[in-house]
Amino acid sequence: MNNWQIVTTASYVPQMTVSNDRLSTIMDTSDEWIRTRTGIRQRHISQGENTADLATQVGQRLLAKAHWAPTSLDLIIIATMSPDSYTPSTAAIVQGLLGATAARAFDVSAACSGFVYALDIASRFIGSECHRVMVIGSEVLSKITNWQDRTTAVLFGDGAGGVLIETDPEPHLLGQHLATFGDRGNQLVAGQTRVNHQFPPTITDVSPFQMNGRAVYRFATHAVPISIQTALQNAGLTADQVDRFILHQANIRIIQQVARRLVQPMTKFPTNIDQYGNTSAASEPILLDECVRQGLIRRGDLVVLSGFGGGLTVGTMIIKY
Ligand code: 4VN
């Protein structure tokens, strides 16, 4: 594996915000319940922009910030669980819209761990053939949300974030850990195509989000601290040495529990779930971008990126920013 570093970060969310109070007018819920159980105050909901559109906005911002020509990109990877279509991939659509004619492009499907999984693939590609790589997490979860189901509809939001990475003489990826538990995949399901098995077969339905919330919650509080500890061990580091923990923004209480388990102060765990809700693969890159822009993460800082959720999957990277 060759060394690489994050050159720049960017994010984009659709303009419309939907408050908890507004949600409580279309389903039996309340601002008080949502805030205390999840930490969410509002989410951004797309009105017509699809997953590739959000990702293209991020891609354009990334290229402008780094002063890179679109044609200088060698690889585009998009992590998403809400792709625009089976084919073309969301990444191929974005490649076309950006005019990144020299880049190969494909999607990664690992739900809320998708951004870390995509960065892992990127870091194995980078070197001989690929020098300039774009990795984006982008989701329009509102299109696969069951707006009649108050247990899941209040949790999710739309958005996109990403990074540019480039080969670098110094090592910046210091350790990592990725794991998949496919035997528990039925605990978080979205977009199952139900097919009428006659001839010719026809798709009768595409299922919206269904989640066994308690089971996924228990999985997260158990698997995430183990994943972070394992990645830290691989890096020869301890949690005390970490400057910021960028965790998937699934639920504020999970983040608080992970902080407690690692015996770390919440000040090391920036959160923005109050503004965006759970944006799955987009949540870590959106938060990373905000932290960099606010000066909460600076060059040389030790950063933990950790995603967890559908699959079930978990993935952690220890990065020197
Ligand atoms: C990872 C997690 C979640 C998740 C699971 C449960 C949950 C989020 C259940 C209890 C409920 C409040 C909400 Cl841990 C979702 C994903 C998908 O990205 C990934 N919230 N809750 C309550 O009654 O308190």
Side-chain angles (χ1 to χ4, degrees), residues 138-150:
S138 184
E139 305 281 12
V140 177
L141 299 176
S142 57
K143 72 185 172 191
I144 51 170
T145 297
N146 177 358
W147 291 99
Q148 263 73 259
D149 176 7
R150 65 174 177 171

Side-chain angles (χ1 to χ4, degrees), residues 33 37-38 112 155-156 188 211 213-214 216-217 220 248 250-251 253-254 278 308-309:
W33 192 95
R37 299 298 190 102
T38 70
C112 321
L155 301 176
F156 298 103
L188 203 177
M211 179 170 76
R214 288 182 60 185
V216 176
Y217 192 99
H248 170 45
N251 187 315
R253 285 156 59 216
I254 291 165
N278 178 345
F308 46 92

Side-chain angles (χ1 to χ4, degrees), residues 4 31 61 66 72 86 124 132 147 166 170 189 221 312:
W4 52 271
D31 176 54
R61 288 179 181 192
S72 73
Y86 293 156
R124 291 168 199 281
R132 290 187 157 188
W147 291 99
E166 189 172 36
E170 305 269 314
V189 175
T221 52
L312 299 179

Side-chain angles (χ1 to χ4, degrees), residues 227-298:
S227 179
I228 293 174
Q229 292 288 20
T230 308
L232 282 168
Q233 239 165 43
N234 293 342
L237 296 165
T238 66
D240 288 346
Q241 294 172 279
V242 175
D243 295 299
R244 303 283 174 208
F245 293 84
I246 305 293
L247 297 199
H248 170 45
Q249 303 287 294
N251 187 315
I252 191 78
R253 285 156 59 216
I254 291 165
I255 298 166
Q256 288 162 344
Q257 281 211 29
V258 173
R260 219 173 306 135
R261 193 76 60 88
L262 296 174
V263 201
Q264 297 298 308
M266 265 308 277
T267 49
K268 283 193 180 185
F269 291 73
T271 68
N272 61 10
I273 190 172
D274 58 325
Q275 295 299 303
Y276 304 111
N278 178 345
T279 58
S280 192
S283 84
E284 295 121 76
I286 293 173
L287 182 58
L288 179 67
D289 179 48
E290 288 190 346
C291 287
V292 169
R293 280 192 284 118
Q294 291 165 13
L296 284 174
I297 292 177
R298 296 163 191 228

Side-chain angles (χ1 to χ4, degrees), residues 56 76 90-101 103 105:
T56 301
I76 298 171
T90 306
I93 300 171
V94 171
Q95 190 258 19
L97 290 170
L98 289 177
T101 47

